[in-house]
Amino acid sequence: MSAASPGRLAWSRLMRHRLAQVSLAFLAVLLILSLAAPLIADWRGIDPTATDLFRRFEPPSAEHWLGTDDLGRDLFQRLLDGGCVSLLVGVSGALLSAAIGAVIGVAAGYLGGRLDSVLMRLTDGVIALPLLPLLIVMAAIDPVKVGVPTDIARSEFFSVYRIIVIVALTGWTTVARLVRAETLSLKARDFTRAAQALGAVPLRIMFRHILPNTAGSLVVATTMSMGTLILFESTLSFLGLGIQPPAASWGNMLTGAQDLLQQAPVLALWPGLLIFLTVIAFNFVGDGLQDALDPRSERR
């Protein structure tokens, strides 16, 4: 019988991680429901942005599955819309920060010398900065004053893309250090020396030979950072500096619910619970991937 491929072995190890399995199922259901939010709203005949002050704080019913909020909007549909935005920020921000960190890390590790010193001191400087105040300062910058046209700066989608860029610009440091460390090890391997002997240019060696061999660590780091970036987005939106209404996110839903905790605590319960479960799920998936992609876990 032929030996199983590394991919199948990794998948079998991942499937033995029970918490990772449950987390993957939860994230898959959440992603499907969030992406299908417009279709679900049409099927139910509900406009999640329409306000009806005569139907404020309604309890769960056949029409409004989780009740309504302080403006009479359907809470279930708002949660789905918020999930779509929060997942978009977390996944896109993590992928963008991973790309930035991977390029910086592989360049610093392979080219070395003065470039390595400059890039690592830049990384150390970003790490040394207090993260939350840095995010608040960056999010508080008025885009109109830095040259962004007013109609674009005030659009609903601009606030989403802006937050993605902000969290990515502060979240690349871990990946950069990780990739640099692996690059220092991989550039001394025989396949790298063979590529150098054959006359391959440094860019080809870095991105064709070295970077693909760091994929396992990159996947794990990127997955675990998704939950952290969702938490950052929720924090900024809670402070009024993130996703701006009428666009829904779990963070700005908490902002709207903070003055209504005694009157309608469920308005804060549901988005807070979803933030908690999503962040924990991404962390469990990251733990599962770390074990699955590490051959030594088979012996453990």
Side-chain angles (χ1 to χ4, degrees), residues 6-29:
R8 286 187 177 182
L9 289 174
W11 179 255
S12 66
R13 287 194 290 266
L14 180 62
M15 288 299 100
R16 288 200 295 269
H17 198 293
R18 300 301 180 190
L19 288 174
Q21 289 184 51
V22 174
S23 299
L24 277 173
F26 169 77
L27 291 173
V29 171

Short mmCIF file of all heavy atoms in Angstrom, two decimals, residues 6-29:
data_model
loop_
_atom_site.label_atom_id
_atom_site.label_comp_id
_atom_site.label_asym_id
_atom_site.label_seq_id
_atom_site.Cartn_x
_atom_site.Cartn_y
_atom_site.Cartn_z
N PRO A 6 1.31 13.89 2.52
CA PRO A 6 1.37 14.80 3.67
C PRO A 6 0.05 15.53 3.91
O PRO A 6 -0.33 15.77 5.07
CB PRO A 6 2.49 15.76 3.28
CG PRO A 6 3.34 15.01 2.33
CD PRO A 6 2.41 14.12 1.58
N GLY A 7 -0.65 15.86 2.83
CA GLY A 7 -1.93 16.54 2.99
C GLY A 7 -2.96 15.68 3.70
O GLY A 7 -3.69 16.15 4.58
N ARG A 8 -3.00 14.40 3.33
CA ARG A 8 -3.96 13.50 3.98
C ARG A 8 -3.59 13.27 5.44
O ARG A 8 -4.47 13.17 6.31
CB ARG A 8 -4.01 12.16 3.23
CG ARG A 8 -4.73 12.23 1.90
CD ARG A 8 -4.89 10.85 1.30
NE ARG A 8 -5.65 10.90 0.06
CZ ARG A 8 -5.98 9.84 -0.65
NH1 ARG A 8 -5.61 8.63 -0.23
NH2 ARG A 8 -6.67 9.96 -1.77
N LEU A 9 -2.29 13.15 5.71
CA LEU A 9 -1.87 12.98 7.09
C LEU A 9 -2.23 14.20 7.93
O LEU A 9 -2.71 14.06 9.07
CB LEU A 9 -0.36 12.74 7.14
CG LEU A 9 0.14 11.38 6.62
CD1 LEU A 9 1.65 11.34 6.59
CD2 LEU A 9 -0.40 10.25 7.50
N ALA A 10 -2.02 15.39 7.37
CA ALA A 10 -2.37 16.61 8.10
C ALA A 10 -3.88 16.69 8.34
O ALA A 10 -4.33 17.06 9.44
CB ALA A 10 -1.90 17.84 7.32
N TRP A 11 -4.67 16.31 7.34
CA TRP A 11 -6.12 16.34 7.48
C TRP A 11 -6.59 15.34 8.55
O TRP A 11 -7.47 15.65 9.35
CB TRP A 11 -6.78 16.04 6.15
CG TRP A 11 -8.29 16.03 6.21
CD1 TRP A 11 -9.10 14.93 6.19
CD2 TRP A 11 -9.14 17.17 6.34
NE1 TRP A 11 -10.42 15.31 6.29
CE2 TRP A 11 -10.47 16.68 6.40
CE3 TRP A 11 -8.92 18.53 6.42
CZ2 TRP A 11 -11.57 17.51 6.51
CZ3 TRP A 11 -10.02 19.38 6.54
CH2 TRP A 11 -11.31 18.87 6.58
N SER A 12 -5.97 14.16 8.58
CA SER A 12 -6.37 13.17 9.58
C SER A 12 -6.01 13.63 10.98
O SER A 12 -6.76 13.41 11.94
CB SER A 12 -5.71 11.82 9.28
OG SER A 12 -4.30 11.90 9.44
N ARG A 13 -4.86 14.31 11.12
CA ARG A 13 -4.50 14.84 12.43
C ARG A 13 -5.45 15.96 12.84
O ARG A 13 -5.82 16.07 14.02
CB ARG A 13 -3.05 15.34 12.42
CG ARG A 13 -2.01 14.23 12.40
CD ARG A 13 -0.62 14.76 12.71
NE ARG A 13 -0.10 15.58 11.64
CZ ARG A 13 0.68 15.15 10.66
NH1 ARG A 13 1.02 13.86 10.61
NH2 ARG A 13 1.13 15.96 9.73
N LEU A 14 -5.85 16.80 11.88
CA LEU A 14 -6.78 17.87 12.19
C LEU A 14 -8.13 17.31 12.62
O LEU A 14 -8.77 17.83 13.55
CB LEU A 14 -6.95 18.79 10.97
CG LEU A 14 -7.92 19.97 11.13
CD1 LEU A 14 -7.44 20.92 12.22
CD2 LEU A 14 -8.06 20.72 9.82
N MET A 15 -8.58 16.23 11.98
CA MET A 15 -9.88 15.65 12.30
C MET A 15 -9.89 14.96 13.67
O MET A 15 -10.95 14.64 14.20
CB MET A 15 -10.30 14.66 11.22
CG MET A 15 -10.72 15.32 9.91
SD MET A 15 -12.17 16.42 10.11
CE MET A 15 -11.37 18.06 10.20
N ARG A 16 -8.71 14.72 14.23
CA ARG A 16 -8.66 14.15 15.58
C ARG A 16 -8.72 15.22 16.65
O ARG A 16 -8.80 14.91 17.84
CB ARG A 16 -7.39 13.30 15.75
CG ARG A 16 -7.43 11.98 14.98
CD ARG A 16 -6.43 10.99 15.54
NE ARG A 16 -5.06 11.44 15.35
CZ ARG A 16 -4.33 11.13 14.27
NH1 ARG A 16 -4.84 10.39 13.30
NH2 ARG A 16 -3.09 11.56 14.16
N HIS A 17 -8.62 16.49 16.23
CA HIS A 17 -8.69 17.62 17.16
C HIS A 17 -10.16 18.03 17.29
O HIS A 17 -10.70 18.74 16.45
CB HIS A 17 -7.84 18.78 16.64
CG HIS A 17 -7.49 19.80 17.66
ND1 HIS A 17 -8.44 20.61 18.26
CD2 HIS A 17 -6.30 20.14 18.22
CE1 HIS A 17 -7.83 21.42 19.11
NE2 HIS A 17 -6.53 21.15 19.11
N ARG A 18 -10.83 17.57 18.35
CA ARG A 18 -12.28 17.74 18.46
C ARG A 18 -12.69 19.21 18.51
O ARG A 18 -13.67 19.62 17.87
CB ARG A 18 -12.80 17.01 19.71
CG ARG A 18 -12.53 15.51 19.73
CD ARG A 18 -13.17 14.84 18.54
NE ARG A 18 -12.94 13.41 18.53
CZ ARG A 18 -13.23 12.61 17.53
NH1 ARG A 18 -13.75 13.11 16.42
NH2 ARG A 18 -13.00 11.31 17.60
N LEU A 19 -11.99 20.00 19.28
CA LEU A 19 -12.35 21.41 19.38
C LEU A 19 -12.18 22.12 18.04
O LEU A 19 -12.97 23.01 17.70
CB LEU A 19 -11.51 22.09 20.46
CG LEU A 19 -11.86 21.71 21.91
CD1 LEU A 19 -10.88 22.33 22.88
CD2 LEU A 19 -13.28 22.12 22.25
N ALA A 20 -11.16 21.72 17.29
CA ALA A 20 -10.97 22.32 15.96
C ALA A 20 -12.11 21.93 15.03
O ALA A 20 -12.58 22.75 14.23
CB ALA A 20 -9.63 21.90 15.37
N GLN A 21 -12.58 20.68 15.12
CA GLN A 21 -13.71 20.25 14.29
C GLN A 21 -14.96 21.05 14.60
O GLN A 21 -15.65 21.55 13.69
CB GLN A 21 -14.00 18.76 14.54
CG GLN A 21 -12.97 17.81 13.98
CD GLN A 21 -13.38 16.37 14.19
OE1 GLN A 21 -14.50 15.98 13.85
NE2 GLN A 21 -12.50 15.58 14.77
N VAL A 22 -15.27 21.19 15.89
CA VAL A 22 -16.46 21.96 16.28
C VAL A 22 -16.32 23.41 15.84
O VAL A 22 -17.28 24.02 15.34
CB VAL A 22 -16.67 21.86 17.80
CG1 VAL A 22 -17.81 22.77 18.25
CG2 VAL A 22 -16.96 20.42 18.21
N SER A 23 -15.14 23.97 16.00
CA SER A 23 -14.91 25.37 15.62
C SER A 23 -15.04 25.56 14.12
O SER A 23 -15.62 26.55 13.66
CB SER A 23 -13.52 25.82 16.09
OG SER A 23 -13.40 25.73 17.50
N LEU A 24 -14.51 24.62 13.33
CA LEU A 24 -14.65 24.71 11.88
C LEU A 24 -16.11 24.66 11.46
O LEU A 24 -16.54 25.41 10.58
CB LEU A 24 -13.88 23.57 11.21
CG LEU A 24 -12.38 23.77 10.99
CD1 LEU A 24 -11.74 22.48 10.49
CD2 LEU A 24 -12.13 24.91 10.00
N ALA A 25 -16.88 23.76 12.10
CA ALA A 25 -18.30 23.67 11.78
C ALA A 25 -19.02 24.96 12.13
O ALA A 25 -19.84 25.47 11.34
CB ALA A 25 -18.92 22.49 12.52
N PHE A 26 -18.71 25.52 13.30
CA PHE A 26 -19.34 26.77 13.71
C PHE A 26 -19.01 27.91 12.74
O PHE A 26 -19.89 28.66 12.31
CB PHE A 26 -18.89 27.14 15.12
CG PHE A 26 -19.28 28.53 15.55
CD1 PHE A 26 -20.57 28.82 15.93
CD2 PHE A 26 -18.33 29.55 15.56
CE1 PHE A 26 -20.93 30.11 16.30
CE2 PHE A 26 -18.68 30.83 15.94
CZ PHE A 26 -19.99 31.11 16.32
N LEU A 27 -17.73 28.04 12.38
CA LEU A 27 -17.32 29.11 11.48
C LEU A 27 -17.91 28.92 10.09
O LEU A 27 -18.27 29.91 9.43
CB LEU A 27 -15.79 29.17 11.39
CG LEU A 27 -15.07 29.63 12.67
CD1 LEU A 27 -13.56 29.48 12.51
CD2 LEU A 27 -15.42 31.09 12.99
N ALA A 28 -18.02 27.67 9.64
CA ALA A 28 -18.62 27.42 8.33
C ALA A 28 -20.09 27.83 8.31
O ALA A 28 -20.55 28.48 7.36
CB ALA A 28 -18.46 25.94 7.96
N VAL A 29 -20.83 27.45 9.35
CA VAL A 29 -22.25 27.83 9.43
C VAL A 29 -22.39 29.35 9.50
O VAL A 29 -23.24 29.95 8.82
CB VAL A 29 -22.92 27.16 10.64
CG1 VAL A 29 -24.31 27.71 10.87
CG2 VAL A 29 -22.98 25.66 10.45
#
